[in-house]
Amino acid sequence: MARISIFGIGYVGVVSAACLARDGHDVIAVDVDAGKIAAINAGLAPIVETGLDELVEEVVAAGRLRATDDVQHAIDATELSFICVGTPSAEDGSVGLGYVETVCRDIGRALARKDGRHAVVIRSTTVPGSTEGTCIPALEAASGKRAGADFGVGYYPEFLRESTAIKDYYDPGLIVFGALDPATAETLTALNAPLGCKIHAVDLRTAEMVKYTSNTWRAVKVTFANEIGNIAKSAGLDGQTVMEILCSDSKIALSPYFMRPGFAFGGSCLPKDVRALRHMAAANGTATHLLDAVLEANAAQIARAEKMVRDAGHSRVGFVGISFKPGTDDLRESPLAELASRLIRAGVQVDIYDPYVSEAYSSGHSAAGRGNDVIPDLKDRLIDDLDRLIEGAGAVVIGNLYNETVSRLEEAAANVPMLDLTRLNRRLVSGGRYQGICW
């Protein structure tokens, strides 16, 4: 079993740390957030994620997971470090490497005082060339050592989906990594061997590109499906039926998850990664017509939903869901949050039912409301009771689909205007009090 330090107790970091600890590895989670550190050491998950509370409690109790802000201790006590900090978009749309570079310098300073070999593996999403152009120079400058010779370096992207992250960890559709040295490649191969998935060992830049290609492809598929849905609706056709038939063609191996007409994409990955890939291509003198259209069309889908709500003409609107997808409390670049903020600025009273965001607040998570920078007084707008939300609303916006709400919302659709961005039921089509965004 390996001794591993995880830098960054965010969504990727805490899930990776808990799963590695479950597999028998000795794991130290490192962060500057005292609240997250305290939560982990108390056996509590710092974020809302299916199955994570129980898993963190289990591995902390077993003594295989602990958290600290002491970088030197973490490096001295482990042999492998994963960097899992955020890479938010910069002002110009390029990938923001500030957090990654800071952590690399912190690790480098600790490596300078450590005898013996250590490997540093970046899991944060970075555009091709970032590991070589930013991470390695920062590590070498701070440590006074040479990458690939005195310490190992790798890039190992994650493909975890929020709300199904633990399941995805143990049943990955794709494993790819790049390593600067054979020892790091062997370590990453050994860690992934039990997962039963083909392992793609490539160079650092290719591994970085695969991550962006994967996320950008998901973004392209969502936008394509929405456009087909909009066009189909204008012709009196059902876009979801059209796309379901297309996805039944197994020869082109299309995942139906993203090929479902509905609302805009959002979250911590797709928007910023499309922007970053566009920026990198522009810097290389390469045009990106489709990527330009992806972001333009995604913004247009939010505007389309805004027009639907405005046309309904109600001064009070209830939102079912505000996070960027069901099953998580993450509001980073949530299109629902953006839609709500526009309505609030226009003078509309917005109430919100979101069980996962509410759970984060009621549990006292230090990261409650994470990613929200557009909705004022978010906590005060949350309503735990769906009936109360419906009764107080002039219209209901169905943004996220929660199984426990379907029957009640279907019942209410007969009396309350419903603006559906996800589709409660395939039998429902636009007409009367009910309007679907593209069906």
Side-chain angles (χ1 to χ4, degrees), residues 20 49 88 126 158 212:
L20 286 165
E49 174 65 37
T126 61
E158 52 77 26
Y212 270 97

Side-chain angles (χ1 to χ4, degrees), residues 40-80:
I40 291 288
N41 288 331
L44 303 172
I47 63 169
V48 176
E49 174 65 37
T50 303
L52 189 60
D53 286 327
E54 298 82 359
L55 182 53
V56 169
E57 181 181 18
E58 172 192 332
V59 295
V60 170
R64 293 194 298 272
L65 173 62
R66 58 194 184 278
T68 182
D69 61 359
D70 189 334
V71 175
Q72 189 67 55
H73 167 71
I75 295 299
D76 289 342
T78 61
E79 59 201 356
L80 170 66

Side-chain angles (χ1 to χ4, degrees), residues 49 59 91 127 133 146 158 198 214 237-238 246 299 349 414 417 433:
E49 174 65 37
V59 295
E91 287 290 331
V127 295
R146 189 159 57 95
E158 52 77 26
K198 182 177 180 179
S214 175
L237 303 172
D238 191 320
L246 178 67
Q349 172 62 40
R433 293 179 179 271

Side-chain angles (χ1 to χ4, degrees), residues 215-236:
N215 279 4
T216 301
W217 175 226
R218 296 180 215 187
V220 168
K221 289 191 288 185
V222 171
T223 300
F224 175 71
N226 285 340
E227 187 160 310
I228 293 299
N230 294 341
I231 295 170
K233 180 180 178 180
S234 71

Side-chain angles (χ1 to χ4, degrees), residues 106-119:
D106 290 343
I107 291 174
R109 284 189 286 271
L111 289 177
R113 296 186 287 272
K114 177 179 181 177
D115 294 326
R117 188 169 178 81
H118 195 96

